[in-house]
Amino acid sequence: MVLIPLNNARKYYVAPNRSYFIAVSVADIVNMEGAIGEATGLFRTIRKLALKEESDFDIVKSDNLANELIENLSFLSGAATIIGFLTLLGAAIALMNILLVSVKERTREIGVSKAIGATSATIKWQFLVESIVICQIGGVLGILGGLLLGLVVAVALGGSFVIPWGWMISGVVICFVVGISAGMFPAIKASKLDPIVALRYE
C-alpha cells in the first residue's frame, strides 16, 4: 500500500472511472455512526448531489470483514450440524444392531428371566437402560475430550478457557435421546419373546 497526497494522485494518475479510498478513524467507537453521517453529508455536498439523488460513493466500515466472517461461521455451523446429525444417525443404527445381536445372544437368559417372573416391561427397561448407559458413556468421553482440546487450544493461544455448560447439557440430552431411539426396537423385540421358545433356543 502506497499513501500519497490526493492532489498528486489526481495529477499523475488520471484515468477514467478512477476510484479513491479515503480512510477515516474515530477516537471512540461510539462516534462511528456520527462520523459516517458527517462524511456522507460532506461527500454529497462535494459531489453536488441533489436530495433525491442516490450517493455515487460507498462507505465501508471496518466491521464489514467481521460480519463476513460471522456469515461464513454460520455456514460452517450449519454444515457441522448436518455432519453431526448424520454421525449420530450412523451411531444410533450401529448401537441398534449391537443390541439386536445382544438380544439374540441372550435369548435363553431372557427366557429364564421371564420363567422366574420377569415381566415384559422389566425386560424392555433392561435393554433400554443398557442402551442409554452406553450412549451416556460415549457422551461423557466426548465432553471430556472436547474440554481437554479446548483447554489446550486456549493455553496455546494465550486466551481464556470458558466451560460451555449449555453445549455440555445439550450433549447429555442428545445422547439420552439417541439411546432411547436406538434401544427401543431391540427392547420391544426382547420383551415380546415367548419364554418357552426362548428357553429352548440354542
Side-chain angles (χ1 to χ4, degrees):
M1 180 181 291
V2 179
L3 304 179
I4 61 174
L6 182 58
N7 289 333
N8 286 351
R10 288 174 174 168
K11 180 178 180 181
Y12 295 108
Y13 299 98
V14 179
N17 300 324
R18 175 67 66 186
S19 296
Y20 296 97
F21 295 90
I22 300 176
V24 180
S25 62
V26 292
D28 192 346
I29 191 66
V30 178
N31 300 325
M32 178 177 289
E33 294 300 327
I36 291 174
E38 184 179 351
T40 302
L42 181 61
F43 248 70
R44 289 183 62 86
T45 302
I46 292 173
R47 291 175 176 258
K48 298 180 176 60
L49 296 175
L51 291 176
K52 295 183 179 180
E53 292 180 312
E54 294 185 0
S55 299
D56 56 358
F57 56 89
D58 292 322
I59 293 181
V60 181
K61 295 190 293 184
S62 57
D63 60 350
N64 284 4
L65 178 60
N67 293 333
E68 184 176 346
L69 290 175
I70 291 173
E71 291 178 1
N72 292 335
L73 286 176
S74 63
F75 170 77
L76 291 176
S77 298
T81 301
I82 295 174
I83 294 173
F85 174 77
L86 294 177
T87 303
L88 286 174
L89 181 62
I93 293 173
L95 178 59
M96 184 171 62
N97 288 332
I98 292 172
L99 290 173
L100 286 173
V101 173
S102 178
V103 170
K104 187 175 182 180
E105 292 177 347
R106 295 160 60 184
T107 300
R108 293 198 65 183
E109 176 189 331
I110 296 170
V112 172
S113 297
K114 283 195 169 186
I116 60 177
T119 63
S120 296
T122 304
I123 300 297
K124 181 168 66 175
W125 275 108
Q126 176 183 348
F127 281 90
L128 276 178
V129 169
E130 289 181 10
S131 176
I132 293 171
V133 169
I134 292 172
C135 283
Q136 291 299 337
I137 290 174
V140 169
L141 291 177
I143 290 172
L144 293 177
L147 289 175
L148 180 61
L149 180 61
L151 181 60
V152 170
V153 172
V155 171
L157 298 178
S160 59
F161 178 68
V162 179
I163 299 178
W165 292 107
W167 287 108
M168 291 168 59
I169 295 173
S170 299
V172 172
V173 172
I174 289 173
C175 288
F176 180 82
V177 173
V178 170
I180 290 288
S181 303
M184 184 61 70
F185 177 68
I188 293 175
K189 183 177 181 180
S191 67
K192 289 184 177 180
L193 287 176
D194 189 323
I196 304 300
V197 177
L199 282 170
R200 295 173 55 189
Y201 180 80
E202 293 291 340

